[in-house]
Amino acid sequence: MTNNELIAKAFEAMEYAYAPYSGYRVGAALLTKDGKVYTGCNIENAAFGPTNCAERTAFFKAVSEGDADFATICVVGGKDGNVGDYFYPCGVCRQVMAEFCDDSFEIIVAKSCDDYKVFTLDGILPQRFSKSNVSEV
Ligand code: THU
């Protein structure tokens, strides 16, 4: 799976965004280390709080199906589905990444299949709280 192919999958997932309140349509494509892709979109709610981001939709789909070993996630999004800029993962989604991914997990933010940036989890969430900080685990 190339970066370009993963980005294309994130754009496909964005088509399913349920965003009647904000209008921001977001898609994610999460690649496991053994090459499987889980996609996700944002799913909003009239009560606002239950809204789920695209990244977490992808993570929760994967974990709920027994996959929890991840290499890369790609995120795309924009108002009314117009992807004019890079769309960065929110803090809550970064924390979910911290639960399941190591320092070198890659986060791709893309404007198109050819215009993208790659970050690592350690780069976008340094000094993070994780399972190693919970003594009971
Ligand atoms: N959103 C995501 O899907 N991912 C993020 O990382 C940040 C925000 C969604 C949630 C909401 O539906 C919309 O974007 C506007 O915040």
Side-chain angles (χ1 to χ4, degrees):
M1 172 74 44
T2 65
N3 286 347
N4 293 51
E5 288 168 339
L6 194 65
I7 294 165
K9 291 205 175 289
F11 272 100
E12 280 171 37
M14 195 181 74
E15 296 297 315
Y16 298 111
Y18 177 74
Y21 305 105
S22 77
Y24 279 88
R25 306 180 67 82
V26 188
L30 176 62
L31 178 67
T32 67
K33 284 186 181 165
D34 59 5
K36 205 162 160 187
V37 176
Y38 289 90
T39 58
C41 62
N42 57 329
I43 304 168
E44 297 187 344
N45 190 283
F48 291 8
T51 292
N52 208 55
C53 290
E55 301 93 313
R56 278 178 288 142
T57 301
F59 268 94
F60 296 158
K61 281 171 68 179
V63 174
S64 68
E65 293 184 26
D67 269 317
D69 204 8
F70 303 113
T72 310
I73 193 167
C74 172
V75 191
V76 300
K79 183 81 173 165
D80 302 321
N82 297 313
V83 180
D85 209 346
Y86 303 116
F87 198 96
Y88 291 95
C90 77
V92 173
C93 289
R94 292 178 196 209
Q95 186 62 31
V96 169
M97 292 173 198
E99 185 66 26
F100 296 105
C101 306
D102 53 26
D103 282 2
S104 60
F105 177 73
E106 288 187 334
I107 297 98
I108 298 175
V109 291
K111 293 184 191 175
S112 71
C113 286
D114 303 313
D115 183 349
Y116 63 89
K117 292 184 183 180
V118 185
F119 298 90
T120 63
L121 178 58
D122 199 44
I124 67 164
L125 193 63
Q127 291 93 39
R128 57 194 171 276
F129 186 84
S130 68
K131 55 189 121 182
S132 65
N133 302 112
V134 182
S135 58
E136 285 79 14
V137 174

